[in-house]
Amino acid sequence: HAKGAGRNTWQFFTERMNESAARHFELESSLRVALAANQFELFYQPVIEAGTRRVHALEALLRWRRPGLGLVGPDEFIPILEESGMIIAVGEWVLRSACEQAVAWQRQGLPAVPVAVNLSGRQFAQRGLAGTVRRIVEETGIDPALLELEITETTLMQSGGHTLEVLEQINAMGVRLSIDDFGTGYSSLAYLKRFPVHKIKVDRAFVRELEASAEDRAIVAAVMALANSLQLSVVAEGVETEAQLQLLREHGCELAQGFLFARPLEAHQVPELLR
Ligand code: C2E
Ligand code: MG
Ligand code: MG
Ligand code: MG
């Protein structure tokens, strides 16, 4: 019996493995055609100035409109784009599309609002990143001051020796840099000071339980103190309630992004938001 049970367990295990391998393979092959088939889309979520409720920036968030299956979020496919290297081409498409969109909104007479684009570690590891950014800025005609690039704290910490050089080249173009998901990546203060960064985005893990957790409030207070001394602006991510916003403001954090204000919107919904 023991042997039989063992074999069944093994069989179950391999079937599950095959299932997930098959699913992965299917996702990867569908993703290979997604860019050429125009299945990617950018949604935009505002960062809000708490005092005025004005839009401070718009973050571009990638979506995949998968035929027959609806909208797929980035957490489900970015890892596959990264490990297959497809993120380089898709990331370039994201950057170009966000810049083109920002220019188009401005030409429509809408208020000029910076657009923020997420970069993955893989894009960052490329030596040509600064050149790609420069080319896209020139070709789209976006004012570089209206472009922000977001890099997660983890990416920044893991990236190689040329990182500082790439960031400085990007910074020299007048494009701004933000550290995303801040607080999850164990950065040292010395590190932060070394990079030409303008903004930190406090991960929503610290916002979620702000009301209940004295520890999370202490972390927010420490981040605010750090940011003030380094002259960085701070955005709180994942703000869902007025109570969270209130606590953030009490700690001096005036920029917030989250479902309290708006979910990520389709591009056509943005003009109404900006007016
Ligand atoms: P992120 O850059 O930290 O973006 C914020 C994420 O939090 C978005 O998820 C957004 O929809 C979600 N969010 C915003 N407000 C709230 C809230 O109040 N509550 C909750 N629960 N969630 C909120 P999304 O769009 O699924 O994106 C997930 C991550 O995927 C992003 O995290 C970013 O790291 C990555 N990503 C998105 N677009 C791109 C892209 O174009 N390129 C790369 N490399 N990564 C991207
Ligand atoms: Mg981001
Ligand atoms: Mg984030
Ligand atoms: Mg994130």
Side-chain angles (χ1 to χ4, degrees):
H1 272 294
K3 251 187 172 171
R7 195 176 302 131
N8 285 341
T9 306
W10 174 247
Q11 203 170 38
F12 177 71
F13 178 69
T14 50
E15 273 167 15
R16 289 295 294 267
M17 284 289 287
N18 289 338
E19 221 174 86
S20 94
R23 200 180 112 79
H24 188 282
F25 179 78
E26 196 196 314
L27 262 174
E28 189 179 326
S29 38
S30 311
L31 280 166
R32 290 212 175 268
V33 300
L35 189 58
N38 257 315
Q39 291 165 8
F40 289 118
E41 249 171 68
L42 292 180
F43 277 46
Y44 294 87
Q45 189 183 31
V47 173
I48 299 290
E49 290 168 11
T52 58
R53 300 265 164 155
R54 292 176 82 110
V55 178
H56 167 83
L58 291 162
E59 179 173 12
L61 294 162
L62 185 58
R63 299 290 182 264
W64 177 24
R65 207 171 283 279
R66 203 176 171 194
L69 294 168
L71 215 52
V72 185
D75 291 334
E76 285 184 57
F77 62 85
I78 295 255
I80 299 173
L81 294 180
E82 278 174 348
E83 63 185 53
S84 63
M86 289 187 270
I87 193 68
I88 302 296
V90 175
E92 222 180 292
W93 177 86
V94 169
L95 185 58
R96 180 180 300 278
S97 306
C99 291
E100 283 171 351
Q101 183 63 82
V103 169
W105 282 328
Q106 256 196 285
R107 293 208 171 122
Q108 287 169 37
L110 295 165
V113 164
V115 68
V117 173
N118 292 284
L119 291 183
S120 89
R122 197 66 193 265
Q123 285 172 280
F124 218 67
Q126 253 194 318
R127 291 202 160 264
L129 180 64
T132 301
V133 172
R134 177 183 323 247
R135 185 165 44 80
I136 290 176
V137 164
E138 283 170 3
E139 287 171 7
T140 60
I142 191 173
D143 174 356
L146 294 182
L147 177 61
E148 298 181 358
L149 299 179
E150 298 191 1
I151 308 147
T152 67
E153 187 185 26
T154 309
T155 298
L156 193 60
M157 296 302 111
Q158 288 170 351
S159 51
H162 66 290
T163 304
L164 183 58
E165 198 186 320
V166 171
L167 288 180
E168 276 170 351
Q169 287 169 347
I170 290 173
N171 183 53
M173 295 173 219
V175 171
R176 304 200 152 221
L177 294 157
S178 309
I179 304 185
D180 207 348
D181 300 352
F182 188 78
T184 60
Y186 310 102
S187 58
S188 74
L189 307 188
Y191 234 89
L192 259 188
K193 204 181 140 194
R194 267 179 56 197
F195 294 111
V197 161
H198 297 92
K199 190 181 274 180
I200 51 193
K201 300 186 79 172
V202 178
D203 195 77
R204 74 166 178 271
F206 305 103
V207 173
R208 199 181 299 130
E209 283 149 34
L210 213 50
E211 291 160 81
S213 164
E215 286 87 353
D216 287 348
R217 289 197 296 278
I219 289 167
V220 167
V223 171
M224 292 311 301
L226 167 69
N228 287 335
S229 67
L230 296 177
Q231 294 183 300
L232 300 171
S233 39
V234 180
V235 175
E237 301 193 281
V239 179
E240 296 185 353
T241 69
E242 287 288 351
Q244 289 166 344
L245 183 65
Q246 178 65 33
L247 281 168
L248 288 162
R249 297 189 71 188
E250 282 168 19
H251 286 89
C253 180
E254 287 290 328
L255 298 175
Q257 179 176 0
F259 298 166
L260 174 64
F261 306 106
R263 301 217 160 224
L265 304 169
E266 292 188 48
H268 71 84
Q269 297 174 292
V270 169
E272 196 190 316
L273 180 84
L274 293 181
R275 273 191 207 107

